[in-house]
Amino acid sequence: MSQHEPWFTKFKPYRGDLNHQPVQIDEYLPAGKSVVLGMQHAFAMFGATVLAPMLMGFDPNLTILITGFGTILFFLLTGGRMPSYLGSSFAFIAAVAAATGYNGVGANPNIALALGGTVVCGLIYAAIGLIVMRTGTAWIEKLMPPIVTGAIVMIIGLNLAPVTIKSVSANGFDTWMAVLTILCISAVAVFTRGMLRRLLLLVGLCLAYLAYFVLANLMGLGKAIDFAPIAQAAWIGLPTFHQPVFQANAILLIAPVALILVAENLGHFKAVSAMTGRNLSPYMGRGFFADGVCTTLSASVGGTGMTTYAENIGVMAVTKVYSTTIFLFAGVFAILLGLSPKFGAIIHTIPVALLGGASIVVFGLITVAGAKIWIDHRVDFSQNSTLIIAAVSLIMGAGNFSLHIGAFDLGGIGTATLAAIVLNLLLNRTQQQPVATVNASTEKTIHPATPHSS
C-alpha cells in the first residue's frame, strides 16, 4: 500500500454483463439492484446474528441495529476496500457465559460485566490492527499457524457443548423439541439449494417454531408460546441501551477473544482476496482496526462483539458481486429492522428448547470447522509436537480447564488458546507453516459454496 494512495478506493460504474462477469470491489451497480443485493446480504447474516446475542442474553434487536451501523462504519474505516458485513460474533459466547454466570435463559442480568470485557477486547483488537497496518501480517501467521488456528476454533465449540446440552434438558418435551430443531436445520442444510440453504438457521428455526406452536399451543403438550408481547410492542422505537462495567476478572476472561477474532478474520480476508483476485493483504490491518473499533462501540451501548461474516462471503461467492457499496445498503436495511420493537418481540417468543437445538448444530459446526482447517492445510500429525499442541489445548478447552493468576481467572477458552500458542512457540520453533485460511468462522454454517464451513 503506497503512502500516497488515497484512503478510499476510486469507485466506477459497472459496465459488464451480470450473468457472466463479476462485479469488482471498486465497481458499483444501479441503486435498484444494489438495494436488492443489500437486502440479500442482510438476510444472509440474519439467522446467526440474531442467534448469537440470544445465546448470551443480549437484545437481538439492539444487535441487529448495531450491526447495520457497524457495517457502514467498517466500509468507511477500510476505505471501501474490504467487502464485508459485520455481524455478532459467536467467539464471545463461552467467555461471556463464564464472566457473567449466564445460564442461557432470558436476559443476562450481568450484561454490564460482559460489555466491559468486550469493550477492552475491541480496543486490543483495534491496537493489533494498527500494528498490522505498520508491520504487515507475517508475524500473526507465524504466531498462529494452522495447527493453532484449527485448535482455537475447535476449542470454542467444545467449550460450549456442556452448557448447550444442559439448556435443553429441563424436561422431556424440550429435549425432543431440540432434536426436532436439529432435524429441521439439517434438512434445510442438506436438501435445499441456493439462498434458502444460506438461511439454514433462520428457515430451520421457523420450521421448528411452527411445529412447537402446533404441539404446545394447539395440542397442549408443552409450555405455550405467549404472543401478547408482540401485540403490545410498537412498530417503531429505539431498543434498550446498556452501559458497560469494567471488572478485572471479566476483562481477563473476555479480552483474549481478540486473538480468536484475528485468526478468524485473517482467514476471511484471505478468502475474499482469493475470490476477487485482488491482493487485500495491504488492507488487512485496516480490517482488523475497523472490526476492533466497531466491537468497542457496539459494547459501549449494549451490543455484542463483532466479526466479519462468512455467510456474506458465501453470498459473494455465489453472486460474484464483490462491490463494497452493496454493504452500505445491507447496513441501512439492518438499521431499519433494528428500529422495530415489534420485530424484537417476535424474536423473544422463540422457546429456549429451539435455541438449544440450534446451538447444538452451530457449536458442532464450529468444532468441525476447526478440524477442517487441519485437513485443508494438511497438518502433519505424525509429529509429536503437533499432537501435543492439539491434544493439550483441546482437552483444556473441552474440560473448561482454567488457570488462575491471583484473583484473575483466564477461563477455559482463554487458557486453552494461550496453551496452543505457547506450545506452538516452544515445540514448533523450526517449522514454518502458513496461517490457516480460516475456512471456519466462529460464526457457524454449512455452505458448500462458501470459503468455509456462520
Side-chain angles (χ1 to χ4, degrees), residues 182-254:
I182 294 170
L183 293 175
C184 289
I185 294 174
S186 301
V188 175
V190 175
F191 300 116
T192 64
R193 293 290 182 269
M195 195 61 198
L196 193 62
R197 174 177 284 185
R198 303 197 178 284
L199 298 175
L200 77 168
L201 287 175
L202 178 62
V203 176
L205 273 175
C206 287
L207 293 174
Y209 188 96
L210 179 61
Y212 189 103
F213 172 78
V214 172
L215 294 172
N217 289 59
L218 301 183
M219 299 176 63
L221 298 178
K223 182 180 179 181
I225 300 172
D226 181 11
F227 293 103
I230 299 177
Q232 297 166 3
W235 280 103
I236 300 175
L238 287 173
T240 302
F241 297 98
H242 300 274
Q243 290 185 331
V245 170
F246 299 93
Q247 184 196 75
N249 198 57
I251 291 172
L252 197 60
L253 284 168
I254 298 173

Side-chain angles (χ1 to χ4, degrees), residues 31 131 171 176 208 222 249 420 428:
I131 295 172
N171 55 67
W176 280 108
N249 198 57
N428 277 342

Side-chain angles (χ1 to χ4, degrees), residues 25-257:
I25 289 172
D26 55 356
E27 295 178 322
Y28 64 88
L29 292 166
K33 292 180 179 178
S34 295
V35 168
V36 173
L37 289 166
M39 291 175 64
Q40 179 174 254
H41 273 291
F43 280 119
M45 66 81 196
F46 182 84
T49 288
V50 167
L51 184 59
M54 295 190 74
L55 298 178
M56 291 184 275
F58 285 54
D59 181 1
N61 235 47
L62 177 59
T63 298
I64 289 290
L65 177 68
I66 291 172
T67 65
F69 283 111
T71 298
I72 294 172
L73 182 58
F74 184 90
F75 173 89
L76 298 175
L77 292 177
T78 59
R81 298 179 185 273
M82 306 285 286
S84 291
Y85 190 95
L86 288 194
S88 52
S89 174
F90 281 70
F92 287 89
I93 295 175
V96 166
T100 63
Y102 181 62
N103 61 4
V105 179
N108 191 329
N110 297 314
I111 188 174
L113 296 179
L115 297 177
T118 305
V119 165
V120 175
C121 177
L123 291 174
I124 293 172
Y125 188 20
I128 293 173
L130 291 174
I131 295 172
V132 171
M133 288 170 69
R134 299 285 296 180
T135 64
T137 60
W139 63 277
I140 294 179
E141 299 188 21
K142 183 177 181 180
L143 187 68
M144 292 186 287
I147 180 60
V148 173
T149 53
I152 290 173
V153 172
M154 292 183 73
I155 286 163
I156 298 170
L158 292 172
N159 186 267
L160 291 165
V163 176
T164 304
I165 299 303
K166 184 178 179 181
S167 71
V168 298
S169 303
N171 55 67
F173 180 77
D174 280 0
T175 302
W176 280 108
M177 288 310 304
V179 172
L180 180 60
T181 304
I182 294 170
L183 293 175
C184 289
I185 294 174
S186 301
V188 175
V190 175
F191 300 116
T192 64
R193 293 290 182 269
M195 195 61 198
L196 193 62
R197 174 177 284 185
R198 303 197 178 284
L199 298 175
L200 77 168
L201 287 175
L202 178 62
V203 176
L205 273 175
C206 287
L207 293 174
Y209 188 96
L210 179 61
Y212 189 103
F213 172 78
V214 172
L215 294 172
N217 289 59
L218 301 183
M219 299 176 63
L221 298 178
K223 182 180 179 181
I225 300 172
D226 181 11
F227 293 103
I230 299 177
Q232 297 166 3
W235 280 103
I236 300 175
L238 287 173
T240 302
F241 297 98
H242 300 274
Q243 290 185 331
V245 170
F246 299 93
Q247 184 196 75
N249 198 57
I251 291 172
L252 197 60
L253 284 168
I254 298 173
V257 174

